Amino acid sequence: MAELKYISGFGNECASEDPRCPGSLPEGQNNPQVCPYNLYAEQLSGSAFTCPRSTNKRSWLYRILPSVSHKPFESIDQGHVTHNWDEVGPDPNQLRWKPFEIPKPSQKKVDFVSGLHTLCGAGDIRSNNGLAVHIFLCNTSMENRCFYNSDGDFLIVPQKGKLLIYTEFGKMLVQPNEICVIQRGMRFSIDVFEETRGYILEVYGVHFELPDLGPIGANGLANPRDFLIPVAWYEDRQVPGGYTVINKYQGKLFAAKQLVSPFNVVAWHGNYTPYKYNLENFMVINSVAFDHADPSIFTVLTAKSVRPGVAIADFVIFPPRWGVADKTFRPPYYHRNCMSEFMGLIRGHYEAKQGGFLPGGGSLHSAMTPHGPDADCFEKASKAKLAPERIADGTMAFMFESSLNLAVTKWGLKTSNCLDENYYKCWEPLKSHFTPNSRKPAEFN
Ligand SMILES: [Fe+2]
């Protein structure tokens, strides 16, 4: 496949035409009486019409047929997609999952949509406030099927296998260690090339933004120009057997048939688009003297709540970096948090847990549930010589951190069969080193 082209920037006003149809974007207006090339004009609104300019999001699509050209939607099998947060009772324990198993294609062909599994979540879809964490486990490309989400935005974190994503705005190739965001309402279809796995953070009713930088200044963390937006690409393809449009609406799946590919947008302009980002481009900031900055310095994207500084969900990464802090216990500190912390591992070994937390697995530390380095990590880091050292080379762990209290689904706790019943044991060997009569560091045995 020829290398794909992208537009660079975050949240910009962009314009793109498929080069096969030069001049397909109307000049000077959005809604001509007749569009160039006799296309249909269609607006996709990602914010209320009346939002302030800084948060107002919409794009204009110029397409062969408008999206409304479809048969009625009908309810379909939900699979493992849910927004029922009361399937099982709450569980405050530290939870950890072994790598979620990908079905073998010889057993069952599963595409991205049929391979969606809701792991945990909170909030209310109907009032546009909340989130869900899904795991996708698939082995087959979506064939004459696309998906769109009426409930919220998908932040997709591939962990194994690359994703070729067809969208109404063009094509994106998203590989492990890259992420993409497909916002509410955007239709997409995913081709995969092997047994494929990844994580999805879905937020209802808000969009992801870059975090404010405060005293950090104008640059740093995820820089806007490293976000990549697809360029217009269309196919004028009839599908006599019917093309299936799958919609997640109020948490339920519906399907409608149409006779043409939905990727029939010849040109578009606007600031409401899908985008991708390579996590290698994250400019890491860290303590260069002593102690830890809180992990919020690793925030790539945030979906803000209405309360200042409090996120529905933050997407945070723990990238390769230098550890240089003097006189400091360098691994993550022991912690209890009013926020909920779901972690996943794209590759490598997470520094606070050398075993047990594996790529393709996950962990959930719920509100005020204690967590921190395992006993082995504590012992080693308490005695380590504090030279500058590389941390997390070849590793990419991430966190979805939320102000909501997450409920785990029945699939997460039982059906997936991946819950690690022994997780708590990693802290059992922690022992007291207290020496009431001496302030000097204890010698470890
Ligand atoms: Fe934490």
Side-chain angles (χ1 to χ4, degrees), residues 156-428:
I156 301 175
V157 184
Q159 184 270 321
K160 180 178 182 297
K162 61 188 175 192
L163 311 176
L164 175 60
I165 308 181
Y166 294 79
T167 79
E168 291 170 282
F169 295 79
K171 295 184 271 189
M172 295 191 290
L173 184 68
V174 186
Q175 317 206 40
N177 222 40
E178 295 181 308
I179 57 128
C180 70
V181 173
I182 299 182
Q183 307 192 72
R184 198 173 173 187
M186 296 171 181
R187 291 167 181 207
F188 66 96
S189 180
I190 295 188
D191 280 3
V192 299
F193 305 89
E194 58 180 289
E195 290 168 24
T196 300
R197 174 171 55 207
Y199 310 83
I200 299 171
L201 170 59
E202 178 185 12
V203 292
Y204 309 148
V206 283
H207 298 302
F208 289 98
E209 358 179 345
L210 291 168
D212 291 323
L213 293 180
I216 293 172
N219 306 288
L221 311 190
N223 285 308
R225 76 176 175 123
D226 294 322
F227 288 81
L228 298 177
I229 296 161
V231 295
W233 173 85
Y234 77 90
E235 59 178 4
D236 186 6
R237 185 162 67 89
Q238 308 286 316
V239 185
Y243 192 106
T244 305
V245 177
I246 301 162
N247 177 211
K248 188 165 88 66
Y249 173 72
Q250 293 194 20
K252 300 282 184 191
L253 297 183
F254 298 85
K257 291 274 187 197
Q258 59 185 43
L259 294 174
V260 296
S261 163
F263 305 114
N264 59 0
V265 175
V266 177
W268 58 264
H269 79 86
N271 61 353
Y272 189 56
T273 70
Y275 54 87
K276 72 166 193 163
Y277 175 74
N278 188 333
L279 302 178
E280 272 178 31
N281 290 322
F282 189 81
M283 193 274 242
V284 185
I285 287 186
N286 209 349
S287 166
V288 291
F290 58 87
D291 280 357
H292 286 261
D294 287 321
S296 45
I297 49 165
F298 301 126
T299 303
V300 180
L301 289 166
T302 183
K304 294 177 175 173
S305 78
V306 293
R307 287 180 287 161
V310 179
I312 296 288
D314 286 328
F315 173 60
V316 177
I317 59 172
F318 301 91
R321 60 198 183 275
W322 283 98
V324 298
D326 290 322
K327 57 175 185 176
T328 297
F329 180 80
R330 286 184 181 170
Y333 42 76
Y334 291 98
H335 195 201
R336 291 181 297 158
N337 191 353
C338 63
M339 308 280 280
S340 305
E341 304 180 9
F342 172 83
M343 283 193 66
L345 187 60
I346 298 168
R347 63 190 189 191
H349 308 276
Y350 180 57
E351 62 253 37
K353 307 256 178 21
Q354 287 298 326
F357 181 54
L358 297 170
S363 69
L364 176 65
H365 301 135
S366 298
M368 293 305 173
T369 293
H371 54 279
D374 62 24
D376 191 45
C377 176
F378 177 82
E379 299 291 331
K380 282 188 185 146
S382 302
K383 287 186 280 196
K385 197 161 172 285
L386 293 181
E389 62 171 344
R390 293 292 302 169
I391 297 173
D393 272 333
T395 292
M396 189 62 78
F398 69 88
M399 179 161 65
F400 300 149
E401 176 157 350
S402 174
S403 60
L404 282 76
N405 292 310
L406 305 182
V408 183
T409 59
K410 189 175 165 200
W411 181 81
L413 286 177
K414 297 198 173 88
T415 322
S416 68
N417 210 19
C418 288
L419 196 67
D420 179 354
E421 304 286 353
N422 294 318
Y423 184 29
Y424 70 98
K425 290 182 180 168
C426 75
W427 294 288
E428 275 192 331

